[in-house]
Amino acid sequence: MMGLLLGSLVGGALSDWYGKRPVLLVCVCVHAVCGLVPVILPQPFVFLTVRCLTGISCCCINICAFSLAVEWTLPAARLWPPAVLPFCFSLGTMGGAPLAWISPSWTHLHLTLALPQLVCLPLFFSIPESPHWLLLQKRTEVLERYRGNSPADKHCLDLLLDSARSDLQTAAEVETGAPVSGGHTPNDFTHLRHPTILLRLFVMSYLSAASALTYFGICMNIGSFGVGVYTGQFFSGLSEAPCLLVPLVRLGRRPISVLSLFLSGAACFVSLLLSRYHCPPVLVMSLALLGKLCILATMFIFNLYSIELFPTVVRQRCISMVNLSFRLGCLATTLVPPSPSGAISLAAMIVYSSGPILGCSLCLLLPETSGLPLPDSLDDCHKQPKSHPLNMGALWRWWKQLHGQPPTKERPLPDKDDKHSTTPFI
């Protein structure tokens, strides 16, 4: 967890300086080598050092892979990379369970996990660099080489570079001191002190920390529900697979966040009650994994929600603070002690269930941003729909869509172009 925190602090900066592809290739090699070191040197200090390096490289890999997947995807399909990548993560989680079961020792498990990575290293060299970064660095020769691979690549790259050039034009105006929409400049720190930005930053930071605490609290205690640890690990990964369907749910950012937070907290609370009354362990674990699935869906929505809530002039700073809150929540998970019997303690389950439920009320303070252009200034944030108590309107529109009735179109902000950000929330 400490390595993941350090990786989240340096991964984005390294990929901006040196490019996403070089950072990805280096971290993939480090990740593979770190799997072999404990097999050769199985000392505790070496193992802890290797795990920290593994966390740093794993976080950098996630950052670069997420950004490259989004930047090489056309705007109409950019909802899918944040859903497909966690789905692949769940496949790896499921695959780790049988590998651990057949491994006679933990050193053999490290060897089993490291060898496929070493064999697949040459495949990573076929991954292209970010077109946006290449355009920013004026690496036109590399772009021309990509464009010459095939007519389909040329057409796709031209579409991607059109949106990238518009983003770079805005960045050029910022560097020359020209005011962006709304009359503000990105280096104006008064935005961070505005009550609207502070409220949204507080809410998103709390929701991120609570989501991390619940998600990793269940993941790290999957063997404490009275079910075999290998079976629990397999079904823990299987429970994340339905998140692949989240892009198909047209419910809006705020309604689906409130719904998933409430279901996550309620499922964890009910599993706590059932465990107190000695119900079947399978039922207790199933409810806990339902809560884990719902909190994962919330984290997926927050990937986009945190981008859409903050204006361009302070978006990167605010998202970095939200990411830091997420990693601090991960660290807090390791400090929760288990009960003497080895099960999840009563206090821990209360924290895991109450955090998301409290987040439901805080989420009501946020505006609905689905279908709206990204805000560039504080004035654009004020033009977003005002916060109001959640009603059944969104659920009714979703019900009509399921029955083939055309939904009501959302009104976009006037005179704004939709922009996309590729900053990951991992």
Side-chain angles (χ1 to χ4, degrees), residues 265-331:
C268 292
F269 183 73
V270 173
S271 67
L272 172 63
L273 292 180
L274 294 180
S275 64
R276 297 294 116 179
Y277 289 99
H278 305 287
C279 289
V282 175
L283 180 59
V284 176
M285 189 190 72
S286 299
L287 286 171
L289 293 184
L290 175 61
K292 176 171 169 280
L293 169 62
C294 294
I295 208 67
L296 183 65
T298 304
M299 292 161 56
F300 167 77
I301 295 299
F302 287 168
N303 284 340
L304 301 177
Y305 210 177
S306 58
I307 292 172
E308 297 169 342
L309 283 173
F310 301 109
T312 303
V313 292
V314 291
R315 183 175 296 128
Q316 295 299 107
R317 297 186 184 96
C318 292
I319 292 178
S320 297
M321 295 179 188
V322 173
N323 285 340
L324 180 60
S325 301
F326 182 82
R327 290 304 170 191
L328 292 177
C330 297
L331 282 176

Side-chain angles (χ1 to χ4, degrees), residues 42-90:
Q43 282 80 28
F45 179 76
V46 175
F47 179 75
L48 292 177
T49 304
V50 166
R51 293 309 297 168
C52 186
L53 290 176
T54 301
I56 295 174
S57 59
C58 184
C59 189
C60 293
I61 290 171
N62 289 336
I63 291 174
C64 296
F66 183 94
S67 298
L68 288 173
V70 172
E71 292 186 26
W72 277 101
T73 304
L74 295 178
R78 277 181 177 168
L79 275 176
W80 285 102
V84 173
L85 294 181
F87 175 75
C88 297
F89 185 86
S90 68

Side-chain angles (χ1 to χ4, degrees), residues 49-264:
T49 304
V50 166
R51 293 309 297 168
C52 186
L53 290 176
T54 301
I56 295 174
S57 59
C58 184
C59 189
C60 293
I61 290 171
N62 289 336
I63 291 174
C64 296
F66 183 94
S67 298
L68 288 173
V70 172
E71 292 186 26
W72 277 101
T73 304
L74 295 178
R78 277 181 177 168
L79 275 176
W80 285 102
V84 173
L85 294 181
F87 175 75
C88 297
F89 185 86
S90 68
L91 295 180
T93 303
M94 289 187 287
L99 287 179
W101 184 71
I102 64 176
S103 300
S105 65
W106 66 272
T107 54
H108 286 82
L109 176 60
H110 270 270
L111 182 63
T112 305
L113 295 175
L115 289 180
Q117 297 183 59
L118 294 173
V119 172
C120 295
L121 280 181
L123 297 177
F124 292 99
F125 287 88
S126 62
I127 297 177
E129 182 55 271
S130 161
H132 191 286
W133 187 85
L134 291 174
L135 189 62
L136 184 64
Q137 300 295 324
K138 297 180 173 59
R139 301 279 298 275
T140 55
E141 70 282 358
V142 181
L143 290 173
E144 290 300 326
R145 188 172 73 248
Y146 291 161
R147 187 181 281 108
N149 289 336
S150 67
D153 287 348
K154 181 179 183 302
H155 177 69
C156 178
L157 192 58
D158 289 340
L159 293 177
L160 293 172
L161 291 180
D162 285 342
S163 61
R165 288 190 180 97
S166 64
D167 293 340
L168 289 180
Q169 183 179 0
T170 303
E173 293 176 357
V174 168
E175 291 179 358
T176 57
V180 295
S181 175
H184 300 276
T185 56
N187 53 6
D188 190 359
F189 284 95
T190 58
H191 288 77
L192 289 174
R193 296 194 296 267
H194 194 277
T196 300
I197 302 300
L198 289 177
L199 175 62
R200 297 183 181 186
L201 185 59
F202 168 75
V203 173
M204 292 303 298
S205 297
Y206 171 82
L207 293 175
S208 301
S211 300
L213 194 61
T214 302
Y215 178 80
F216 285 100
I218 296 176
C219 287
M220 296 174 64
N221 293 278
I222 197 64
S224 304
F225 292 101
V227 181
V229 63
Y230 304 113
T231 304
Q233 181 71 14
F234 177 82
F235 284 100
S236 176
L238 183 63
S239 67
E240 300 181 6
C243 274
L244 187 64
L245 305 177
V246 172
L248 301 177
V249 180
R250 306 296 181 180
L251 196 58
R253 306 285 188 263
R254 196 170 64 131
I256 195 173
S257 298
V258 172
L259 182 62
S260 57
L261 284 169
F262 177 78
L263 291 177
S264 175

Side-chain angles (χ1 to χ4, degrees), residues 406-417:
T408 304
K409 293 184 178 180
E410 298 179 72
R411 180 180 298 177
L413 296 179
D415 300 328
K416 294 287 296 175
D417 293 329

